[in-house]
Amino acid sequence: MADVSIPSKMRIWKFASAQGGIEKHLKLHTSQPLPKPKPNQHLVQVLAVGLNPVDYKPAEAPLIGRLVVMRPITPGFDFSGRIVTPADGSSLEPGHLIFGQASTNPLAGGALAEYIVAPNETVCSIPPGLSPIIAGGAPVAAITAYGSLIPHIRAGSRVFLNGGSGGVGTYGIQIAKAAGAHVTVSCSARNADLCRSLGADDVLDYTTRPLLDQLKDAATKAGRPFDHVVDNVFNDPALYYQAHTYTTSSAKFIEVASGPNWAFIRFAIGAQIWPGFLGGGRRKLVIFVSENKRETLELLANWIVEGKIKPVTDQVFPMEDAVGAFKRLKTGRAVGKVIIDVVGKGQYSY
């Protein structure tokens, strides 16, 4: 493995306030001491960081963001990197390429730096043939797509994914198809061809008419309701409250796009306590929480290398433009993953 020289200082992004959006407060610190790993942590040189909504939503939430999230904070959960000093007892060696999540803290990732400490249990080796740039954007989106689908569907299931062109959606289409499901997605017309190219059987353009009406029509046309729903958007609570009009009685409604804001909290409480006969939901609501397991990461990485999954990258930003990367992510128009190249193009080999 390649030798890794260790500098005494590093660059790291931090924000001390999230008022008006974390992108307004992100600052690049250029002379930060390197972190010191605990026995169960690796010291890692970061190569790339993939951004996700969880990197800003908790911090910007009125209650949790102000009272719970400690400041200053470094965002970023997903990363790829190179081992500098392995954790005690680890089979990994200096120079090994790894990817995974930088933290088990659900409110603070900490990956957006040149060097980090990462828990041994949340990372795995990057298999040959997988680019560190792609690997850096995979963990949260791919694991979320996998966990929201695979335990609940089987070959022949009719699945609806609300939001097919984002980070989770692009993985979700392909994972559902790999499981043998029939996949219907929603997206705008400009992303319809992409979703079809990833395997979507039917594409609903949410800009043309109400999505709920289109779902009812799709179930009627197929002569069979949907067996499973994954909501990657959370833009219309009626999709859940009226799910009985387009899904089977045993269908689950998996809410992935949840955020710790008042609108979602009110929805979640109401959905759980308001009885169906009084206008509440009549399908099981599952608020999805991603669980990073090494075996799942390894499985998904191998699927990418084998060509079963094709990662979709929206844009790669340099380390110096993390603010631009967050602005792009927060437009809601990113197609696939937004990734930050921490070391710079050409500074590492695949």
Side-chain angles (χ1 to χ4, degrees), residues 101-187:
Q101 289 184 234
S103 173
T104 56
N105 181 342
L107 300 176
L112 198 49
E114 290 181 313
Y115 290 83
I116 63 171
V117 292
N120 184 44
E121 67 270 19
T122 66
V123 304
C124 68
S125 295
I126 297 177
L130 177 56
S131 157
I133 286 286
I134 299 300
V140 166
I143 286 177
T144 297
Y146 185 93
S148 64
L149 287 163
I150 294 302
H152 310 288
I153 66 175
R154 60 180 185 271
S157 294
R158 283 177 52 79
V159 174
F160 169 60
L161 305 179
N162 186 26
S165 61
V168 177
T170 52
Y171 278 110
I173 293 170
Q174 299 173 82
I175 290 171
K177 291 303 296 182
H182 179 283
V183 180
T184 298
V185 302
S186 67
C187 67

Side-chain angles (χ1 to χ4, degrees), residues 223-305:
R224 179 182 163 191
F226 292 95
D227 301 295
H228 189 65
V229 177
V230 178
D231 185 0
N232 297 315
V233 182
F234 186 61
N235 60 348
D236 185 3
L239 293 180
Y240 168 69
Y241 285 116
Q242 294 297 313
H244 60 280
T245 64
Y246 63 90
T247 64
T248 61
S249 59
S250 60
K252 293 179 181 177
F253 192 103
I254 310 290
E255 185 57 68
V256 168
S258 57
N261 54 61
W262 290 121
F264 183 78
I265 291 171
R266 286 195 297 268
F267 163 74
I269 293 174
Q272 297 292 343
I273 68 174
W274 201 250
F277 69 89
L278 290 178
R282 303 183 194 178
R283 296 295 181 261
K284 181 174 179 59
L285 174 67
V286 178
I287 299 174
F288 184 83
V289 178
S290 178
E291 184 178 3
N292 187 345
K293 294 183 178 180
R294 182 183 290 125
E295 56 267 30
T296 307
L297 270 178
E298 292 173 343
L299 172 67
L300 294 168
N302 287 327
W303 281 5
I304 294 172
V305 172

